[in-house]
Amino acid sequence: MHIPDGYLSPQTYIPMFAVTGTFWTAALRKLKRGLSVKEIPYLTMASVFSFLIMMFNIPVPGGTTAHAIGAAIVAVLLGPWTAVVAVSVVLIIQALVFGDGGITAIGANCFNMAVVMPFVSYWVFKLIRGKSASVARLSAAAFLSGYAGLLASALATAVELGIQPIVAAAPDGKPLYAPYPLSITIPAMVIGHMFLVCIVEGMVTMLLFRYFHKHDPKLIYAFKKAVP
């Protein structure tokens, strides 16, 4: 899922920095207004959890990797805007310190994993849950939020890689950056995630959700009426 340097053209990574930057700005403003003292340790733990779970990478064709992210459970428990900050911090540290993901691709990687996934996961949870208080329904909503969020993130990554031969090619048609078209990147990323890693993400999301639902249900942001 981490796109390295050299795979995205400036025509892609510059706009992605701009788009993701607007989400960073909005997220920081919302956290400054609404993050309670009680939630600060959870924000720290969310970043640490996301960092750890992303360390288990499986290489896939197309110049990237498949791995769980942890953004879904952060979005459900603390809200999608909190997840934007928590996961972005992890991705930036990974790129700058560990070389996991390119520096030029920070905007794109953060958009895919710290913007797309949290918001898709949050709204899938809300949609599946409805107004039900059933543990089975809530568990299904949590699992599907993790599964769908990660799949959406993988698809966004695949599209960014797959359009490179279209947006950045030499006069002779040779790709200057990622060489694989959408017909390769989309199946590679989607199939590589949906039959294994998305299931892991869904299970982790469900198990952690059930723990907090049992021990600290008032923490769960998705139960609140606040609009993200």
Side-chain angles (χ1 to χ4, degrees), residues 15-100:
M16 293 310 301
F17 268 112
V19 171
T20 307
T22 62
F23 281 92
W24 286 336
T25 301
L28 290 171
R29 287 176 179 171
K30 288 179 179 292
L31 261 63
K32 186 177 180 181
R33 273 199 320 263
L35 191 68
S36 68
V37 174
K38 179 184 177 181
E39 292 172 332
I40 293 175
Y42 287 111
L43 174 60
T44 304
M45 288 189 291
S47 294
V48 173
F49 170 71
S50 181
F51 178 86
L52 290 174
I53 201 171
M54 279 195 273
M55 296 302 289
F56 299 94
N57 294 317
I58 303 171
V60 298
T64 186
T65 54
H67 55 77
I69 296 172
I73 187 61
V74 181
V76 171
L77 292 182
L78 302 178
W81 291 108
T82 304
V84 169
V85 174
V87 180
S88 290
V89 168
V90 170
L91 292 169
I92 292 169
I93 292 173
Q94 287 178 333
L96 296 178
V97 179
F98 298 96
D100 195 1

Side-chain angles (χ1 to χ4, degrees), residues 36-228:
S36 68
V37 174
K38 179 184 177 181
E39 292 172 332
I40 293 175
Y42 287 111
L43 174 60
T44 304
M45 288 189 291
S47 294
V48 173
F49 170 71
S50 181
F51 178 86
L52 290 174
I53 201 171
M54 279 195 273
M55 296 302 289
F56 299 94
N57 294 317
I58 303 171
V60 298
T64 186
T65 54
H67 55 77
I69 296 172
I73 187 61
V74 181
V76 171
L77 292 182
L78 302 178
W81 291 108
T82 304
V84 169
V85 174
V87 180
S88 290
V89 168
V90 170
L91 292 169
I92 292 169
I93 292 173
Q94 287 178 333
L96 296 178
V97 179
F98 298 96
D100 195 1
I103 293 174
T104 59
I106 285 175
N109 284 327
C110 287
F111 178 79
N112 301 334
M113 290 180 269
V115 175
V116 171
M117 184 173 180
F119 282 98
V120 170
S121 296
Y122 177 81
W123 285 111
V124 166
F125 180 87
K126 296 283 282 187
L127 178 65
I128 301 299
R129 179 218 174 186
K131 296 181 179 180
S132 175
S134 162
V135 174
R137 180 78 170 265
L138 291 170
S139 298
F143 174 85
L144 291 172
S145 72
Y147 188 99
L150 184 56
L151 193 61
S153 181
L155 179 59
T157 303
V159 170
E160 289 162 7
L161 290 169
I163 63 173
Q164 297 313 302
I166 301 172
V167 302
D172 61 359
K174 182 180 179 181
L176 298 176
Y177 296 91
Y180 305 106
L182 291 167
S183 60
I184 293 177
T185 60
I186 291 179
M189 288 298 295
V190 170
I191 294 173
H193 282 79
M194 68 187 302
F195 292 117
L196 176 60
V197 189
C198 285
I199 296 173
V200 173
E201 184 83 41
M203 290 298 296
V204 169
T205 304
M206 180 185 70
L207 291 173
L208 288 174
F209 170 82
R210 291 187 65 165
Y211 174 85
F212 282 97
H213 181 247
K214 180 178 180 180
H215 295 282
D216 195 2
K218 292 182 179 180
L219 173 72
I220 300 174
Y221 183 93
F223 285 174
K224 302 173 184 178
K225 295 183 179 180
V227 177

